[in-house]
Amino acid sequence: MKKILILNGPNLNLLGTREPTVYGSQTFEDYFKTLKADFPNTQLHYYQSNHEGDLIDKIHEVGFTFDGIIVNAGGYSHTSIALADALSAVTTPAVEVHISNIHARESFRHHSFLTNRCKGMICGLGLKGYELAVRYFL
């Protein structure tokens, strides 16, 4: 059975209430229940933190034993060399996900330091991007 971590960064704990026109009205916890039901033969794990070091620690924790990491680092995608380095330091492959289309938003969001450390990036497809990332690892 494959083990996949979904790692969400800052402010993603507010999904469902934060800017619903951009991020939708569903909480990630509710979506995660659906995702787990859709992939019963996969061990899906979920971790969210607003703290960069906690996200790095989680990458280190699973980065040599899990089959995949789905990372939505939120605003850290555009600022964190440390998260990029953490993804490079481990052997578990990662896919970057963004709920909104970062290329259609403010110019500072157009670059992600994580993208070249990941197998690919999915953006702009809402929460469906997580499902597509899970399918990639299967």
Side-chain angles (χ1 to χ4, degrees), residues 1-52:
M1 186 177 289
K2 296 234 180 178
K3 293 187 338 185
I4 300 170
L5 171 68
I6 297 174
L7 184 67
N8 276 346
N11 301 310
L12 290 165
N13 56 305
L14 298 177
L15 288 176
T17 57
R18 174 190 179 203
E19 300 176 86
T21 58
V22 175
Y23 298 103
S25 58
Q26 187 175 26
T27 68
F28 195 84
E29 290 74 13
D30 286 344
Y31 176 72
F32 188 63
K33 290 175 192 170
T34 301
L35 203 58
K36 285 174 68 172
D38 289 346
F39 296 98
N41 296 320
T42 304
Q43 288 184 28
L44 293 175
H45 301 261
Y46 172 57
Y47 184 79
Q48 187 278 329
S49 179
N50 294 317
H51 305 281
E52 185 179 31

Side-chain angles (χ1 to χ4, degrees), residues 33-84:
K33 290 175 192 170
T34 301
L35 203 58
K36 285 174 68 172
D38 289 346
F39 296 98
N41 296 320
T42 304
Q43 288 184 28
L44 293 175
H45 301 261
Y46 172 57
Y47 184 79
Q48 187 278 329
S49 179
N50 294 317
H51 305 281
E52 185 179 31
D54 292 345
L55 298 170
I56 292 167
D57 288 344
K58 185 56 81 169
I59 291 169
H60 292 174
E61 178 185 323
V62 306
F64 296 95
T65 57
F66 276 42
D67 298 294
I69 298 171
I70 298 168
V71 58
N72 182 346
Y76 288 140
S77 304
H78 319 292
T79 63
S80 180
I81 301 296
L83 277 172

